[in-house]
Amino acid sequence: MAILNKPDKVHQAIAWHGDIPITNRYTAGVAGERFFREVKENGKFMGTRCPECDLIYVPATMFCERCFAELDEWVQVENQGQVVTYTILYWDLDDQPLAVPLVLALVQLDGSDGGLVHYLGETDPEDVYIGMEVEAVLKDPAEREGSILDIRHFRPIQV
Amino acid sequence: MSQEVAIVGIGYTSFRPLTPEVSYKELVYEAAVKAYEDAGLDPRSDVDSIVSVAEDFTEGTSIFDEYVPDQLGGMLKPNVTIPGDGIHGLATAYMQIASGIVDVVAVEAHSKASNVLTLPRITAYAMDPVLNRPLRANPVFIAGMEMNRYLYTSGATREHCALVVAKNKRNALLNPAAAFGAALEPDQALDSEMVAYPLSVVDISPHADGAIVVVLASAEVAQSLTDVPIWIRGIGWCNDSPSLENRAWGRAIYAEEAGRMAYRTAGIRNAMDEIDLAEIDDAYSYKELQHLEALGFCEYGRGGFLTADGVTEIEGALPVNASGGSIGGGHLLDASGLRAVVEVALQLRGEAGAHQIPGVETGLAFGWRGVPSTSGAAVILSS
Ligand SMILES: [Zn+2]
């Protein structure tokens, strides 16, 4: 019976390795296009407002996930906001230690109900707290490509 | 609920960090043989339909439903594979029987996590490709951010989370199928390596391999097969916003709603009074507390205090993860919820062995699909 004859030495356990390249395009979409274009060309953050729910979505979306309305009211929101939550990340994408830990945060942008997940920089990780006031640091206009990485990071607002 | 449905067969392998000697098909075959033996059924003649739960990326195979029927005795039968938690699979099988189209369904879920060599990258591939993935961060950061917000808004502490770790690892010592039992003191948990502040390495359930098969049957068939049918009294599932930017970070709203649906379908008004034990997702230590609150066992923010008071211990008023859960048993990818179902069903049969809780009649199992998801499913079982 094969079931009684399982390999009992690790070196006898045969395995095959396989991998495939997976490459995709991801369309930013009608709302994403305008959101990233405003960051890239004007250094501005735009949201879309749902009048029914009285919510301003950032990043802008073309529809309201709460009431399902199509959204076409665009409003500019601030380049600064508050840390809703954050973490200090010690592992890389292979679960190996990062040489320099990353501070990541969800920042709710002032004037909006949404926000952005991004790096926090120009601060000691130990000094970060929930509710901290931070502002976006954008790349130079010539370096911007219309992506979330047009934001270098958020940093504490000096008072 | 319409047609009554019961669990009549349970089969599972032990849960182990490595299984180099068996293929995933052989793991599933072992669980299936045990489940059909337990039910007293021949799958080739007695099982009407097969439901499996699998995600292509963690299987390393496209169109994985092609790879399912044979190891379950399910060839030339109705088959469906759904990417979801094991309890989503149970719900699918439940509905097939409740609707009256079939009488006996086998539900399967498994983990061969030890063969998934780039799991954090697969999980990262589940994040929004435009907004989140370009940050190139290990997706465990989402759990770190969620835990931080949860502790901030709920009043729970890292010490409470360490109590969950110590409890589940200790419970696992009583469960021969569990992979990661340990007599760990809460202080040792608190001092362990930080992964995504405030989440430390022991707050994360380590992965294990294993397979689970559960056989469901209509009332008439169930009563002809067994003296101890375990009835599915209610079931519910829900997703919150997929967006990291818009979801609720402090609360597990998906679990609140999944629980509400399960309680409504089961006719349960007071979870703490009417439910004797719970096996709920503890993929991360704080998730047990968050899910305990979301499922209505206590007020928001009280889960940690309940744990500190010993209420969730095996001897407590509401034992939670008496099996060791995922922290003590090993996280089984999308099979984790089905393992919770098995543990509750064994307890209700009185077959849980060294971690048996005396006199239990009704239990709850809850599964969550892990980061970055807000996908949860709950089921209420009764003897
Ligand atoms: Zn709306």
Side-chain angles (χ1 to χ4, degrees):
Chain A
M1 261 183 98
I3 211 153
L4 301 178
N5 290 300
K6 292 176 181 171
D8 64 353
K9 298 285 178 289
V10 170
H11 70 265
Q12 291 170 350
I14 295 171
W16 183 256
H17 285 241
D19 59 73
I20 56 166
I22 297 174
T23 309
N24 298 93
R25 295 184 81 239
Y26 298 98
T27 305
V30 175
E33 178 83 26
R34 177 149 177 204
F35 177 79
F36 285 117
R37 202 171 284 285
E38 290 283 358
V39 175
K40 180 182 178 209
E41 292 171 4
N42 305 315
K44 292 199 297 200
F45 293 115
M46 302 291 289
T48 45
R49 181 168 176 271
C50 176
E52 195 64 37
C53 301
D54 193 23
L55 285 174
I56 293 170
Y57 284 93
V58 173
T61 62
M62 203 182 78
F63 55 88
C64 176
E65 65 179 23
R66 325 258 165 122
C67 75
F68 211 53
E70 191 173 331
L71 306 182
D72 54 11
E73 186 184 335
W74 285 77
V75 287
Q76 184 182 349
V77 302
E78 302 294 325
N79 285 29
Q80 64 182 60
Q82 283 196 359
V83 172
V84 177
T85 186
Y86 72 95
T87 188
I88 307 164
L89 178 66
Y90 293 89
W91 283 3
D92 71 10
L93 274 167
D94 297 309
D95 286 351
Q96 296 304 306
L98 283 162
V100 181
L102 280 175
V103 187
L104 290 139
L106 171 64
V107 179
Q108 184 177 347
L109 294 181
D110 292 344
S112 87
D113 297 286
L116 294 169
V117 174
H118 222 291
Y119 311 118
L120 283 189
E122 301 178 48
T123 178
D124 188 325
E126 303 299 320
D127 295 338
V128 178
Y129 58 93
I130 289 174
M132 187 181 214
E133 301 276 348
V134 294
E135 63 187 357
V137 179
L138 299 181
K139 288 182 178 167
D140 294 335
E143 289 178 64
R144 295 182 205 154
E145 302 173 314
S147 98
I148 194 74
L149 298 179
D150 288 354
I151 306 164
R152 267 188 218 289
H153 53 249
F154 283 80
R155 71 177 170 203
I157 297 174
Q158 304 301 329
V159 278
Chain B
M1 311 241 281
S2 48
Q3 166 81 279
E4 298 274 300
V5 179
I7 294 173
V8 297
I10 295 168
Y12 57 98
T13 65
S14 59
F15 307 117
R16 290 184 280 148
L18 298 171
T19 52
E21 83 288 11
V22 278
S23 72
Y24 74 88
K25 278 183 183 275
E26 292 162 346
L27 265 181
V28 173
Y29 178 72
E30 178 187 333
V33 167
K34 288 175 172 171
Y36 299 137
E37 183 70 23
D38 183 52
L41 292 174
D42 176 349
R44 299 305 295 143
S45 53
D46 304 334
V47 173
D48 300 324
S49 170
I50 302 284
V51 175
S52 62
V53 170
E55 176 74 45
D56 284 359
F57 275 100
T58 46
E59 299 301 337
T61 306
S62 306
I63 321 185
F64 187 72
D65 60 302
E66 290 299 302
Y67 291 83
V68 167
D70 44 336
Q71 61 268 27
L72 289 161
M75 272 164 38
L76 300 174
K77 291 177 189 286
N79 268 265
V80 63
T81 297
I82 56 169
D85 178 75
I87 297 175
H88 292 108
L90 195 81
T92 305
Y94 170 84
M95 289 186 281
Q96 289 186 5
I97 297 172
S99 66
I101 57 172
V102 291
D103 283 316
V104 179
V105 183
V107 188
E108 180 275 325
H110 64 273
S111 160
K112 188 76 169 163
S114 66
N115 273 357
V116 187
L117 304 185
T118 57
L119 188 56
R121 289 174 183 267
I122 290 173
T123 310
Y125 211 62
M127 296 195 290
D128 186 289
V130 178
L131 292 169
N132 308 137
R133 221 189 289 161
L135 298 173
R136 298 190 56 76
N138 186 310
V140 74
F141 91 86
I142 296 168
M145 290 208 332
E146 187 179 53
M147 180 175 176
N148 204 5
R149 183 71 193 179
Y150 170 68
L151 297 186
Y152 179 80
T153 55
S154 71
T157 62
R158 280 196 68 223
E159 285 74 11
H160 290 144
C161 297
L163 291 173
V164 170
V165 174
K167 168 178 74 69
N168 292 359
K169 292 221 178 275
R170 199 169 55 246
N171 288 351
L173 289 174
L174 302 174
N175 179 359
F180 298 103
L184 186 78
E185 295 301 324
D187 284 351
Q188 292 172 280
L190 278 174
D191 290 342
S192 68
E193 178 197 344
M194 200 53 78
V195 175
Y197 172 86
L199 188 80
S200 78
V201 70
V202 299
D203 288 310
I204 304 170
S205 58
H207 288 100
D209 295 352
I212 298 158
V213 174
V214 172
V215 184
L216 304 187
S218 61
E220 200 180 334
V221 175
Q223 273 150 350
S224 75
L225 285 172
T226 173
D227 295 333
V228 282
I230 301 301
W231 301 100
I232 297 180
R233 272 188 57 193
I235 197 156
W237 59 99
C238 185
N239 289 49
D240 190 6
S241 171
S243 153
L244 295 185
E245 292 79 8
N246 287 297
R247 66 174 54 174
W249 278 86
R251 304 180 78 102
I253 291 179
Y254 58 92
E256 294 175 21
E257 293 301 322
R260 205 163 282 150
M261 180 175 167
Y263 295 146
R264 174 172 55 77
T265 50
I268 283 181
R269 289 162 189 276
N270 184 316
M272 201 62 182
D273 287 351
E274 296 176 60
I275 292 172
D276 303 320
L277 81 151
E279 289 279 329
I280 61 182
D281 174 85
D282 62 333
Y284 305 102
S285 58
Y286 72 93
K287 277 288 177 188
E288 178 172 310
L289 303 178
Q290 212 184 30
H291 290 152
L292 197 60
E293 295 160 2
L295 292 163
F297 291 107
C298 58
E299 296 285 312
Y300 181 70
R302 298 304 300 170
F305 298 94
L306 218 63
T307 306
D309 289 345
V311 174
T312 58
E313 301 276 346
I314 290 178
E315 305 78 23
L318 179 78
V320 174
N321 291 325
S323 69
S326 291
I327 286 175
H331 194 273
L332 302 175
L333 303 173
D334 284 327
S336 301
L338 204 58
R339 193 252 312 273
V341 169
V342 162
E343 292 291 348
V344 171
L346 291 173
Q347 288 282 356
L348 298 179
R349 281 180 173 187
E351 295 175 2
H355 61 290
Q356 178 68 48
I357 305 152
V360 286
E361 291 171 2
T362 299
L364 175 144
F366 177 79
W368 167 60
R369 293 202 70 200
V371 294
S373 90
T374 55
S375 175
V379 61
I380 316 289
L381 302 174
S382 281
S383 54

